[in-house]
């Protein structure tokens, strides 16, 4: 298999991991909202509740941007996960109410995102899929 195809395949696997992770987050927040309505997370301060509810929108927007292979999706994904783990670790250590496995899993996911972001950044272009017109058409005629 040519090196470019191997690299593309690896990047596709990395991208799938990112998307699956944010779909898990989306599902979690949608289930919480379905079960508790806008009163979900009621035992927490309003700012925390609003942040966690906002992830119901931010996580799927991140998924869409990543699926479209937009660099803005990478930036948004990193911002969302880093803010989320900062908030969740703070809650875990001060207020309590977040399970340890959740904050550890999110932290491990953040490590994966941070370590693979440069590879995805190179694979994506600023405005969409990383495929030049010449590459799509095949080799130039001689």
């Amino acid at each position: 298999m040519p090196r470019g195809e191997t690299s593309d395949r690896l990047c596709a696997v990395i991208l799938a991991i990112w998307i699956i992770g944010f779909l898990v987050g989306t599902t979690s927040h949608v289930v919480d909202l379905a079960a508790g309505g806008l009163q979900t997370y009621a035992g927490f301060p309003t700012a925390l509740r609003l942040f966690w509810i906002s992830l119901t929108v931010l996580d799927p927007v991140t998924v869409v941007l990543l699926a479209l292979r937009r660099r803005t999706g990478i930036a948004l994904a990193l911002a969302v996960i880093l803010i989320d783990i900062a908030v969740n670790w703070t809650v875990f250590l001060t207020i309590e109410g977040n399970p340890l496995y959740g904050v550890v899993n999110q932290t491990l996911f953040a490590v994966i995102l941070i370590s693979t972001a440069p590879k995805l950044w190179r694979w994506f272009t600023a405005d969409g899929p990383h495929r030049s017109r010449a590459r799509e058409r095949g080799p130039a005629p001689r």
Side-chain angles (χ1 to χ4, degrees):
M1 183 178 322
R3 184 167 189 213
E5 287 179 33
T6 302
S7 180
D8 282 350
R9 184 167 294 170
L10 175 60
C11 287
V13 169
I14 291 168
L15 178 58
I17 291 167
W18 283 48
I19 288 173
I20 290 167
F22 281 96
L23 287 175
V24 168
T26 299
T27 303
S28 172
H29 293 288
V30 167
V31 167
D32 288 348
L33 279 173
L38 292 179
Q39 294 307 311
T40 195
Y41 318 121
F44 294 96
T46 302
L48 280 175
R49 292 174 54 214
L50 291 174
F51 171 70
W52 286 327
I53 290 169
S54 76
L55 293 174
T56 309
V57 174
L58 291 172
D59 284 353
V61 167
T62 300
V63 168
V64 169
L65 290 170
L66 290 170
L68 294 172
R69 291 175 54 184
R70 306 283 182 178
R71 285 181 172 171
T72 53
I74 296 169
L76 181 59
L78 293 172
V80 166
I81 195 63
L82 292 174
I83 293 168
D84 199 16
I85 63 172
V87 166
N88 290 342
W89 272 107
T90 301
V91 169
F92 176 79
L93 295 170
T94 60
I95 300 173
E96 298 182 355
N98 274 351
L100 179 61
Y101 73 87
V103 291
V104 169
N105 287 343
Q106 284 182 322
T107 302
L108 293 174
F109 183 56
V111 168
I112 291 168
L113 296 187
I114 292 166
S115 64
T116 58
K119 188 158 192 67
L120 279 188
W121 190 268
R122 288 187 300 272
W123 194 50
F124 288 13
T125 60
D127 59 352
H130 182 68
R131 297 269 184 232
S132 70
R133 294 284 180 225
R135 192 168 163 193
E136 288 175 4
R137 287 190 301 261
R142 296 187 176 176

